[in-house]
Amino acid sequence: MLDQIKHSLQDAVKMIDSSIELSIDDIEVSLLFDEKGDFTTNIALKLSKLLKQKPLDLAKSIIENTSFNEFEKIEVAGPGFINFFLKDQSFLKLLNEGKRRFQDQSTVNIEFVSANPTGPLHLAHGRGAIVGDVLSNLYQFFGHKVTREYYVNNTGNQINEFLSSILFHISSIHHLDLPYKQFYKGDYIKDLAEKCFENFQDIFKSKQISKEQELKIVNYAIENLVNLSIQTLQKSGIVFDQVSYETSIVEKKLLPEIITELQKKGLIYRGQLHDPKDFQGTKKDNEITIFKSTHFGDDEDRALTKNDGTPTYFANDIAYHVDKYNRGYSRLINIWGADHLGYLKRLSSALTALYSDIDFSVVFCQIVNLKRNNEIQKMSKREGTIFELDQLVNEIGIENYRYFMCYRKNDTHMDLDIDLIKKENKENPIYYIQYSFARSQSVLDRANKLVSKNLKLSPELKNLIKKIHEWDLVVLNSYTRNEVHLISHYLESLASMFHSLWSSAKSNPQIRFLDDDNNLSEEAQSLLKKYQLVLSEGLGILGIKPKLKM
């Protein structure tokens, strides 16, 4: 119906002025759920300046140039909106109207979580994990072949500090007097240290540990933490297709070829950017390799090598994305924390410089605060005061976790209210959504036989039918915008309309699904099954199974 209205509006505008080029995508039509109508458009307001007409006059002219059989009336509202009122007999047509969804079978790589392997997954990782997995489900819903990928940054100073913290704890507990400092705290460091000590007892018989031995210890610790993270995510329904390590990307030696290609394009030079972090009065005069990212709008050029000649994190990250591109994906999507917002420009600049056809985008997730007893909990990984993701999932349950991590727009801050989430009433949206599914199933289960009888079209029923009809638009918008919260909000609204219809039937027996003999009309059965189908598709994208009974 939405497309039908859009095409009619497009034809009407052409009749008013044939010189106007108006795309279907430029025409906005939305549903109404009150007495103002069933559909509305702002087309007269948008085109009034272009067509040099007052919005009210243009709206009237558009109505005069359209013809619909489905509508009782079409009228102008407010400053120039056009509102459409459906005929009663058109509502069932709306419910049964089938729309073929487009399918795109191209390959998509969605990289998410990719936590630093210096501690267990915690609350901050939880949002990106679910957004990434739900986005993967959404792309699969539209036919894409999706690879879920987890990237492990297992090089750099963070790894040195992680190793030092483990060895510091081993030295302290076992009185070894080893020359290491503590950077990371927490029980997980103690547990890892004990595992490392038990596994490498021969190494700790010596008073000195070689670089090679350090590498064995830290790789063992990282492997333990990564496996623990993967297990935690699997418990939440997240299964990765590929786990990639930064060290394995370095071993492929892609960087020399990348730098050569950028040099050919005149985007590399040698020199110094600014004083390095360890600057203490003696300026280093050795040259480093620098990428001209300012050519692409970045606020400064970016180093590809450090003063000692080794690659920067940025350089290895370019190589990692080149590796993904070389694997043949049509689209690369990363899920990042909002603290990486400034990093996007330099990486996208380098990738665009290398491959003009690359389809690379990033979905940013803002931080999540844990709220308990109306107070925000303070957390720090280095101080060991983190709330592990495993603890969260165990406390609130998988479906609460998956739903609420998609409840707010991903780039806005979110307070996760534990006390509210654990409630089993209408204050908890996912509970109320599941309850609506169980209610609809209870009607189907209790039905004695099917009868031919028309549905009584109450305002509540009309709104529910329109909301069901809106699903195709919502899921498409969620897909094109990479905004999974649209699905959570839609399901909450849909369930609310179902419950409103259910409540209204208590005082009006004529609109009940079942009659006094528990007979169910064919139209009511069709409505309930369509409702369950839409709810199942939406919950399925969120990774949640609908409940038949509650």
Side-chain angles (χ1 to χ4, degrees):
M1 186 70 74
L2 288 168
D3 286 343
Q4 183 183 344
I5 296 172
K6 285 184 177 185
H7 281 100
S8 294
L9 292 172
Q10 185 185 46
D11 293 340
V13 171
K14 285 181 180 178
M15 291 175 71
I16 294 168
D17 189 333
S18 60
S19 66
I20 297 295
E21 290 292 331
L22 183 63
S23 166
I24 287 293
D25 294 333
D26 294 329
I27 301 173
E28 297 176 27
V29 179
S30 55
L31 286 125
L32 293 174
F33 298 94
D34 54 30
E35 69 282 353
K36 294 177 183 177
D38 299 309
F39 296 90
T40 187
T41 180
N42 63 352
I43 189 169
L45 293 164
K46 287 182 68 175
L47 297 180
S48 62
K49 187 178 288 187
L50 182 63
L51 291 172
K52 297 177 181 178
Q53 292 189 41
K54 292 178 180 179
L56 286 171
D57 293 337
L58 180 56
K60 291 174 184 176
S61 181
I62 289 172
I63 292 173
E64 289 170 0
N65 284 281
T66 57
S67 61
F68 292 99
N69 295 321
E70 291 82 3
F71 296 104
E72 191 71 43
K73 61 179 177 177
I74 305 172
E75 62 183 29
V76 181
F81 291 99
I82 301 174
N83 293 351
F84 302 81
F85 295 76
L86 273 173
K87 293 177 182 177
D88 281 358
Q89 59 264 37
S90 298
F91 275 92
L92 286 179
K93 180 183 177 184
L94 195 69
L95 179 66
N96 298 318
E97 188 178 90
K99 182 180 178 182
R100 177 181 287 182
R101 295 192 187 102
F102 83 92
Q103 292 284 293
D104 184 342
Q105 295 187 354
S106 63
T107 55
V108 179
N109 179 290
I110 301 182
E111 179 221 322
F112 56 104
V113 183
S114 299
N116 290 334
T118 54
L121 295 179
H122 51 80
L123 184 62
H125 302 121
R127 191 175 193 179
I130 295 301
V131 169
D133 192 51
V134 171
L135 199 63
S136 298
N137 290 340
L138 185 57
Y139 273 74
Q140 287 174 323
F141 184 78
F142 282 99
H144 291 281
K145 297 170 184 174
V146 177
T147 296
R148 292 164 170 83
E149 184 152 341
Y150 187 117
Y151 183 54
V152 183
N153 297 118
N154 61 330
T155 68
N157 191 54
Q158 64 185 6
I159 301 301
N160 297 332
E161 292 181 351
F162 174 57
L163 171 65
S164 181
S165 300
I166 290 171
L167 295 176
F168 171 86
H169 184 77
I170 291 173
S171 179
S172 299
I173 295 299
H174 298 282
H175 311 291
L176 300 181
D177 195 29
L178 297 172
Y180 296 97
K181 295 180 181 179
Q182 183 178 32
F183 295 93
Y184 293 95
K185 302 175 184 177
D187 290 340
Y188 78 93
I189 287 290
K190 297 176 186 177
D191 294 340
L192 267 177
E194 286 308 304
K195 284 183 179 179
C196 290
F197 183 76
E198 288 296 322
N199 199 61
F200 299 103
Q201 286 191 32
D202 290 344
I203 290 177
F204 294 108
K205 290 177 182 178
S206 171
K207 290 187 177 181
Q208 283 191 328
I209 300 175
S210 69
K211 290 292 181 184
E212 184 180 345
Q213 290 170 331
E214 284 182 346
L215 188 61
K216 283 184 180 180
I217 294 168
V218 78
N219 283 344
Y220 174 78
I222 288 171
E223 183 182 355
N224 267 269
L225 276 179
V226 170
N227 287 339
L228 184 66
S229 296
I230 296 297
Q231 289 170 18
T232 296
L233 293 166
Q234 284 178 342
K235 282 171 61 177
S236 306
I238 301 171
V239 179
F240 285 93
D241 302 296
Q242 180 152 343
V243 178
S244 296
Y245 285 80
E246 187 176 359
T247 47
S248 67
I249 299 299
V250 172
E251 288 169 2
K252 291 184 179 182
K253 298 180 180 179
L254 300 171
L255 199 54
E257 186 179 337
I258 290 169
I259 291 175
T260 298
E261 191 61 34
L262 292 173
Q263 280 176 328
K264 290 177 183 176
K265 299 175 184 287
L267 296 172
I268 294 290
Y269 65 96
R270 300 275 296 171
Q272 279 286 348
L273 282 174
H274 43 68
D275 296 337
K277 288 181 181 179
D278 58 353
F279 179 67
Q280 295 179 343
T282 304
K283 198 168 182 76
K284 296 181 179 179
D285 56 6
N286 55 312
E287 293 185 333
I288 60 174
T289 303
I290 300 169
F291 169 60
K292 295 180 182 178
S293 56
T294 51
H295 278 39
F296 300 88
D298 199 1
D299 53 4
E300 62 177 303
D301 292 337
R302 304 293 175 174
L304 294 179
T305 58
K306 303 175 187 176
N307 278 294
D308 62 3
T310 58
T312 59
Y313 171 85
F314 173 47
N316 283 342
D317 212 22
I318 296 172
Y320 168 54
H321 285 82
V322 165
D323 179 69
K324 285 198 287 188
Y325 177 85
N326 288 342
R327 285 186 247 153
Y329 295 108
S330 300
R331 189 179 303 185
L332 305 178
I333 301 173
N334 289 359
I335 313 297
W336 288 352
D339 54 334
H340 288 75
L341 187 62
Y343 184 74
L344 175 59
K345 177 59 73 174
R346 72 190 77 169
L347 181 59
S348 60
S349 299
L351 295 176
T352 302
L354 289 165
Y355 310 108
S356 59
D357 64 336
I358 194 167
D359 188 344
F360 168 70
S361 60
V362 174
V363 174
F364 288 98
C365 291
Q366 270 288 359
I367 61 170
V368 179
N369 295 314
L370 186 69
K371 189 176 180 182
R372 197 190 295 274
N373 299 323
N374 288 321
E375 289 186 2
I376 300 297
Q377 311 292 297
K378 292 185 178 180
M379 289 170 281
S380 167
K381 181 160 71 171
R382 284 180 179 268
E383 294 302 316
T385 56
I386 60 174
F387 192 75
E388 292 185 21
L389 188 58
D390 212 29
Q391 292 173 267
L392 176 69
V393 175
N394 288 337
E395 182 170 356
I396 68 174
I398 293 172
E399 71 173 35
N400 278 328
Y401 165 54
R402 292 189 69 96
Y403 181 83
F404 279 96
M405 284 300 181
C406 297
Y407 192 61
R408 302 289 180 206
K409 194 170 185 293
N410 50 272
D411 59 359
T412 59
H413 286 82
M414 181 169 68
D415 293 340
L416 199 66
D417 191 334
I418 295 293
D419 301 316
L420 182 147
I421 290 171
K422 292 166 74 174
K423 289 182 179 179
E424 293 189 348
N425 56 33
K426 64 182 180 181
E427 290 183 58
N428 181 340
I430 183 58
Y431 177 86
Y432 219 41
I433 291 167
Q434 291 281 34
Y435 189 37
S436 78
F437 194 97
R439 273 182 160 177
S440 68
Q441 185 60 40
S442 72
V443 175
L444 295 172
D445 290 342
R446 285 162 49 209
N448 182 25
K449 64 179 180 179
L450 290 179
V451 294
S452 295
K453 184 181 176 182
N454 292 333
L455 275 172
K456 180 72 174 178
L457 287 169
S458 65
E460 294 83 4
L461 180 54
K462 288 180 179 180
N463 281 342
L464 180 61
I465 290 172
K466 285 185 288 184
K467 199 67 186 178
I468 291 171
H469 180 74
E470 192 183 28
W471 167 239
D472 284 333
L473 177 64
V474 171
V475 72
L476 181 62
N477 283 341
S478 181
Y479 164 75
T480 55
R481 299 177 190 173
N482 285 343
E483 294 181 355
V484 296
H485 74 283
L486 296 176
I487 293 174
S488 295
H489 287 182
Y490 169 81
L491 294 177
E492 181 183 17
S493 179
L494 177 67
S496 176
M497 290 184 180
F498 182 89
H499 288 301
S500 293
L501 174 62
W502 189 279
S503 298
S504 67
K506 291 179 181 178
S507 58
N508 185 358
Q510 288 186 325
I511 61 174
R512 290 177 185 170
F513 291 118
L514 297 173
D515 63 20
D516 293 339
D517 297 318
N518 279 348
N519 294 323
L520 180 69
S521 74
E522 292 173 346
E523 289 182 355
Q525 183 194 53
S526 176
L527 170 72
L528 290 168
K529 288 190 173 181
K530 188 66 180 283
Y531 178 76
Q532 289 190 338
L533 173 65
V534 169
L535 215 57
S536 296
E537 286 183 344
L539 288 172
I541 291 170
L542 296 181
I544 299 171
K545 291 182 179 179
K547 292 182 177 178
L548 298 177
K549 292 184 179 180
M550 288 181 70

